[in-house]
Amino acid sequence: MSKKTIPIRAYDKPAGGFGSLHGTAKALTSNGPYPALATLPRLNQPQGVDCPGCAYPDSPSSKSVDFCEQGAWAIAHEGSKARATPAWFAEHTLDVLRGKENWELEAAGRLTAPMLYDAASDTYRETSWEQAFALAGERLRALGPQRTVFYTSGRSSNEAAFPYQLFARAFGTNNLPDSSNYCHESSGQALTMSIGVGKSTVTREDFEHAEAIFSFGHNPASNHPRMLGDLREAKKRGCKIVIFNPMFERGLEEFADPQSPTELLSGHGTKLADAYFQVRVGGDLAAITGIAKAVLERDALDRAFIEEHTDGFDAFVAVMQQQSWSDIEQASGLTRTQLNEAADYYIASNATISAWCMGLTQNEFAIETLQMLVNLTLLRGNVGKPGAGLMPVRGHSNVQGDRTVGITNKPKAEWLAGLERVFGFTPPAQPGLDAVGAIKGLLDGSVQGFVGLGGNFAVAGPDSPRVLDALGKTELTVHIATKLNRTHLYPGRLGLLLPCLGRTELDDQSGDAQFVSVEDTASVVHSSTGRNRPASDQLRSEPYIVSELARHTLPASSIDWQGMGGNYDLTRKLIEQVAQGAVSGFENYNEKIRQQRGFRLPNTAGERIWKTATGKARFIAHALPAETIMSRARAQYGDKVLCLATIRAHRQYNTTVYRDPKGEVDRYRGVHGSRKVLFVGPEVLRRLGFSDGELVTVRAAAPDGIERKVEGIRLIEYALQGDDVIGYFPELTPLISPELVARGSNTPAFKQVPVLLEKA
Ligand SMILES: Nc1nc2c(c(=O)[nH]1)N[C@H]1C(S)=C(S)[C@@H](COP(=O)(O)OP(=O)(O)OC[C@H]3O[C@@H](n4cnc5c(=O)[nH]c(N)nc54)[C@H](O)[C@@H]3O)O[C@H]1N2
Ligand SMILES: Nc1nc2c(c(=O)[nH]1)N[C@H]1C(S)=C(S)[C@@H](COP(=O)(O)OP(=O)(O)OC[C@H]3O[C@@H](n4cnc5c(=O)[nH]c(N)nc54)[C@H](O)[C@@H]3O)O[C@H]1N2
Ligand SMILES: [Mo]
């Protein structure tokens, strides 16, 4: 018997409560309290700072406190007192830095000066901004547009993203992969086909009217805690909450509002879930099919809505009739009785919100699953009325806005026409590379230039070790970043690291303080104004850096890059002009952005206007697939193959791992001390002959046959079904082949990775 060394402490308190107050306090003291303390009261407030933590909508009422523990950590880390100065870089070769943990790179602190990689000393060395821009421009021109990719992480503002996409297109490419490709791409595509918009039809006000909320595949207690407040309020009104998740997430079971004295002091929160269905990983398509079938069997339909607003209903019914209950039960891991119970909740409600996050978007049949969810929604007319709708809960704080202002490898013709009209050049029309496309291009050598506007591209994507190596063999890497991360440690032949202002910092352009705008999950565009003193006087704003890169790459360009680099009203004016005929709602952008809480971009589906191919909301039927990533892996590698979902722990922000002073890794799942763990169900342990606490090597059972493994992983027995296993990224990302993607959206199947366990 191996000794159990990862202490698991069952968390029997409600999520939130004192635990999160204490966690907030820890955040404030972890890096020296001052900057974070000054920023917190201004988070998500009018004229305040948009929290870089998540994209959950701000409170429409003037809630005096609208931030959470997780936002406090994000702010505290941006405001860290540590500095990765040129002197620090001189002492650390990249070879040495590559041996460090992710949290150690983060802990080096804020970047302070533009840095250029020097191969002879294997260090980044300080350079001047002017030289950095000149070198980058010259190398980009030599490479040309086809071999270069321009990655965006969804934290960038509209005012940075717009000149960035303009730069790529004026240069001649739509190679604009972004973090959305790793995230909600499947949602955007599925919804656009089905209801004509790729965004949430739900606003925060809808939570006040919902009679039922169905939640799929997310962990709000860690990843969008402010949503728990809305769920709690809804619950107190009598709204039913129905959960589908392979893990029993504490935060969805019970939540104590840290701002409610009674809940705080009694230690009892509000029970949230009325029903909690432990669906199998990747089993949601079958589960939703089962519920839809039950609703049809009971004829509990909104016939008038179906008649007036939809098409494809008869074909959909025919496909549903062909799906057998035994197949549905097998694929979903839920019984017919359970799915009928879920249907009871659905039928009893006259206004249902369906919300989801990464549990639905990062698997092979993500688009099919989401379109089945739309089908279920349409059956009872649950879109375009108060208290009802479809809600992809976005990840990064401005990932939605970046898309709105043109960050995409597949631009719409209307957007390109707008660029042509306003800037007088013909932008490329053919689609560019998305994130997985860029990865493949890096691996085969066809991509030789990488520009990153934030993010940690290689660590956030599949096959990280191979992609990092490939980046290190390119001609050019340019990273615009606040802090050091692993992707930066693999510079191209010309490698630049350009430090930018964080969102909380004062953006002073020649004495003229600028603010930026961001769009949340509910399509509300609002301003964000940094006030803190920048971490170094060498920092430049993202819009400035992007515009200068463009100006130095395209010296003959007549576009006013310098204007956009320092005067964001000009950028907003240009966005407004390009958006005409392409995106509605940006009229008088500069006036509306100065209103108290900004403005909401219209959502046609929310008004029952269907901008789809047929002008109707579309039932798009999908039969349960005969073959899946898992069935193919089992055919290739045998029946010991397990299905791994990679998820976030409480103490991390995507690839940024926060080190908690007390060693807390994942509070609500009870993990302390180590992130190198794998949750496994009792069935796996019994069938494969492993024990709780045992150390194992995890091997990929990948379709491309390439050997991938992660060693030193500790098994934790957990309440999971069948062959499902769950662990943390980025530690387990090296197991993921870029061949494992969602059909159609090309989003990596981060939640459906076939793996094998081996004794250590
Ligand atoms: N503090 C903090 N906040 C964040 C982030 C962060 O890292 N830290 N990241 C931000 C970003 S970019 C995003 S996209 C969001 C992510 O927010 P989430 O989607 O909540 O993040 P994950 O940890 O990936 O959570 C996946 C959840 O899906 C469940 N799950 C896994 N597989 C399946 C499945 O097949 N079906 C179903 N129904 N459920 C499944 C898991 O058990 C888990 O509860 O959070 C954003 N906010
Ligand atoms: N295995 C697995 N992998 C996943 C996922 C998963 O569930 N499983 N989830 C995926 C998802 S949903 C997403 S969205 C991606 C995220 O992918 P990315 O967005 O690429 O990754 P992040 O970790 O958010 O990026 C963090 C880095 O951003 C930089 N940064 C932080 N703030 C700023 C800023 O204000 N400006 C600039 N310029 N830089 C800044 C810092 O250098 C920091 O190190 O990861 C994906 N990867
Ligand atoms: Mo995300």
Side-chain angles (χ1 to χ4, degrees):
M1 278 293 284
S2 59
K3 209 169 138 275
K4 187 161 169 180
T5 53
I6 305 290
I8 280 281
R9 299 179 207 146
Y11 198 81
D12 52 9
K13 296 183 276 282
F18 269 122
S20 86
L21 278 188
H22 183 228
T24 308
K26 271 199 286 196
L28 296 180
T29 47
S30 61
N31 284 308
Y34 312 106
L37 211 57
T39 305
L40 279 184
R42 301 184 51 242
L43 269 191
N44 304 321
Q45 297 295 333
Q47 274 78 54
V49 182
D50 179 65
C51 180
C54 78
Y56 199 70
D58 296 344
S59 171
S61 65
S62 282
K63 236 184 164 186
S64 58
V65 178
D66 197 20
F67 66 88
C68 69
E69 174 193 358
Q70 302 299 69
W73 276 77
I75 292 294
H77 274 252
E78 183 172 298
S80 153
K81 282 184 176 166
R83 298 285 179 269
T85 60
W88 183 87
F89 275 106
E91 285 166 17
H92 295 87
T93 63
L94 296 199
D95 193 45
V96 163
L97 291 176
R98 286 192 284 262
K100 300 221 180 255
E101 301 285 340
N102 289 325
W103 69 263
E104 293 177 285
L105 301 178
E106 164 73 18
R110 291 288 300 275
L111 302 169
T112 64
M115 307 297 289
L116 171 66
Y117 179 62
D118 170 55
S121 62
D122 188 33
T123 56
Y124 273 113
R125 290 191 173 181
E126 185 169 3
T127 181
S128 68
W129 280 106
E130 193 46 44
Q131 196 193 6
F133 292 136
L135 287 172
E138 189 188 325
R139 187 61 57 94
L140 279 167
R141 280 196 304 279
L143 277 172
Q146 302 319 322
R147 296 197 293 159
T148 307
V149 298
F150 295 84
Y151 177 68
T152 311
S153 166
R155 210 180 247 202
S156 289
S157 62
N158 286 359
E159 289 76 359
F162 179 80
Y164 194 61
Q165 57 86 39
L166 183 62
F167 170 27
R169 296 190 168 113
F171 186 43
T173 181
N174 285 313
N175 287 345
L176 283 157
D178 73 328
S179 62
S180 192
N181 297 145
Y182 288 152
C183 189
H184 268 295
E185 186 71 48
S186 310
S187 308
Q189 291 197 23
L191 293 180
T192 302
M193 276 185 271
S194 293
I195 58 168
V197 287
K199 298 178 180 180
S200 170
T201 70
V202 173
T203 65
R204 216 165 155 181
E205 285 92 338
D206 282 317
F207 282 83
E208 293 163 19
H209 306 286
E211 294 179 20
I213 298 169
F214 275 53
S215 134
F216 296 85
H218 61 145
N219 176 27
S222 297
N223 299 323
H224 23 273
R226 289 182 298 146
M227 184 174 187
L228 292 183
D230 286 349
L231 293 179
R232 173 179 170 275
E233 293 289 313
K235 182 62 194 234
K236 284 193 176 298
R237 275 194 303 106
C239 173
K240 301 295 180 197
I241 296 177
V242 180
I243 311 288
F244 291 81
N245 197 309
M247 286 194 128
F248 290 101
E249 302 289 20
R250 191 67 196 119
L252 290 166
E253 293 172 333
E254 188 179 359
F255 170 64
D257 187 344
Q259 293 173 43
S260 152
T262 7
E263 292 196 344
L264 201 58
L265 295 174
S266 70
H268 296 294
T270 304
K271 298 258 183 273
L272 293 182
D274 290 278
Y276 204 122
F277 296 107
Q278 191 181 21
V279 63
R280 291 289 298 271
V281 168
D284 303 86
L285 174 57
I288 298 165
T289 300
I291 305 169
K293 204 172 155 71
V295 173
L296 286 170
E297 282 170 1
R298 285 189 253 165
D299 201 22
L301 309 173
D302 183 340
R303 292 259 173 209
F305 176 85
I306 293 172
E307 192 63 32
E308 187 184 343
H309 289 287
T310 71
D311 65 11
F313 177 68
D314 294 340
F316 171 68
V317 173
V319 173
M320 289 302 97
Q321 279 166 351
Q322 286 155 14
Q323 309 308 306
S324 79
W325 277 106
S326 65
D327 287 351
I328 290 171
E329 289 187 325
Q330 219 241 324
S332 66
L334 299 171
T335 62
R336 183 173 179 173
T337 312
Q338 287 176 303
L339 292 168
N340 264 304
E341 192 198 331
D344 289 339
Y345 283 106
Y346 187 60
I347 291 168
S349 157
N350 290 309
T352 303
I353 290 175
S354 292
W356 68 90
C357 204
M358 295 301 101
L360 290 201
T361 64
Q362 298 174 333
N363 70 74
E364 186 181 17
F365 296 101
I367 290 199
E368 289 81 352
T369 304
L370 291 164
Q371 291 186 328
M372 274 303 303
L373 187 55
V374 176
N375 296 337
L376 178 65
T377 299
L378 298 181
L379 285 179
R380 292 184 51 76
N382 274 314
V383 60
K385 66 180 179 189
L390 291 153
M391 184 181 201
V393 180
R394 293 279 170 170
H396 266 301
S397 51
N398 194 39
V399 62
Q400 189 161 309
D402 290 348
R403 271 291 161 96
T404 304
V405 301
I407 300 292
T408 169
N409 65 309
K410 286 190 224 142
K412 288 205 185 109
E414 295 85 359
W415 184 261
L416 297 180
L419 292 178
E420 178 149 14
R421 189 180 64 243
V422 175
F423 297 104
F425 73 96
T426 307
Q430 66 280 26
L433 297 172
D434 61 6
V436 168
I439 284 173
K440 291 186 173 171
L442 284 163
L443 291 174
D444 71 20
S446 57
V447 169
Q448 284 295 323
F450 179 93
V451 183
L453 179 54
N456 190 356
F457 175 75
V459 177
D463 232 0
S464 35
R466 297 175 71 228
V467 179
L468 288 168
D469 276 341
L471 269 174
K473 293 182 183 129
T474 58
E475 287 292 320
L476 172 70
T477 55
V478 181
H479 299 290
I480 303 166
T482 48
K483 286 202 177 172
L484 186 64
N485 64 48
R486 195 164 301 280
T487 300
H488 307 152
L489 303 180
Y490 295 78
R493 216 153 60 82
L494 177 69
L496 289 161
L497 190 48
L498 308 178
C500 65
L501 293 171
R503 205 177 267 175
T504 55
E505 290 168 327
L506 180 70
D507 185 350
D508 178 24
Q509 299 286 344
S510 320
D512 197 2
Q514 302 289 315
F515 65 86
V516 295
S517 32
V518 293
E519 177 183 336
D520 67 27
T521 289
S523 304
V524 176
V525 182
H526 58 90
S527 65
S528 177
T529 315
R531 298 262 157 86
N532 294 346
R533 196 172 150 202
S536 143
D537 58 13
Q538 283 262 57
L539 302 186
R540 298 291 180 269
S541 75
E542 289 182 351
Y544 174 85
I545 298 170
V546 166
S547 305
E548 286 300 294
L549 280 172
R551 192 166 72 88
H552 286 77
T553 307
L554 308 168
S557 165
S558 58
I559 294 170
D560 185 4
W561 299 111
Q562 274 173 307
M564 279 186 278
N567 172 3
Y568 307 166
D569 273 343
L570 171 66
T571 312
R572 287 184 284 266
K573 188 81 219 155
L574 292 167
I575 293 173
E576 176 179 337
Q577 287 171 4
V578 172
Q580 265 171 42
V583 189
S584 46
F586 278 114
E587 305 75 30
N588 306 318
Y589 190 176
N590 273 311
E591 286 94 286
K592 289 193 293 189
I593 195 70
R594 287 175 163 83
Q595 294 165 12
Q596 269 271 312
R597 290 197 179 261
F599 57 99
R600 182 162 186 252
L601 296 175
N603 182 299
T604 43
E607 296 161 33
R608 298 197 167 174
I609 299 163
W610 315 105
K611 299 216 160 180
T612 61
T614 58
K616 297 271 187 186
R618 309 186 67 190
F619 281 97
I620 303 179
H622 297 288
L624 295 183
E627 254 193 26
T628 64
I629 284 178
M630 294 312 298
S631 72
R632 288 191 297 271
R634 288 188 178 118
Q636 196 177 344
Y637 292 89
D639 66 0
K640 291 185 176 168
V641 173
L642 307 174
C643 180
L644 166 69
T646 55
I647 61 168
R648 295 153 171 80
H650 192 64
R651 276 285 161 263
Q652 78 183 80
Y653 193 87
N654 297 336
T655 65
T656 302
V657 173
Y658 303 138
R659 198 178 56 141
D660 185 283
K662 290 258 168 66
E664 179 178 84
V665 167
D666 204 0
R667 179 186 309 148
Y668 302 127
R669 300 190 188 106
V671 181
H672 298 259
S674 170
R675 295 176 48 92
K676 295 192 77 177
V677 298
L678 189 69
F679 300 103
V680 292
E683 230 176 287
V684 172
L685 294 179
R686 195 175 344 103
R687 186 165 76 88
L688 302 183
F690 289 96
S691 50
D692 185 20
E694 192 168 343
L695 207 54
V696 298
T697 296
V698 187
R699 275 188 191 279
D704 55 22
I706 293 175
E707 173 167 333
R708 299 177 176 88
K709 63 173 179 184
V710 175
E711 292 171 300
I713 296 292
R714 189 79 62 179
L715 299 182
I716 294 183
E717 183 171 351
Y718 213 77
L720 290 177
Q721 280 214 64
D723 291 333
D724 292 351
V725 297
I726 295 186
Y728 302 128
F729 86 94
E731 286 77 4
L732 296 174
T733 301
L735 297 166
I736 307 175
S737 157
E739 299 301 329
L740 302 171
V741 292
R743 300 196 315 171
S745 70
N746 221 23
T747 294
F750 291 127
K751 304 277 190 276
Q752 201 174 31
V753 185
V755 295
L756 293 159
L757 301 187
E758 223 169 62
K759 303 257 170 197

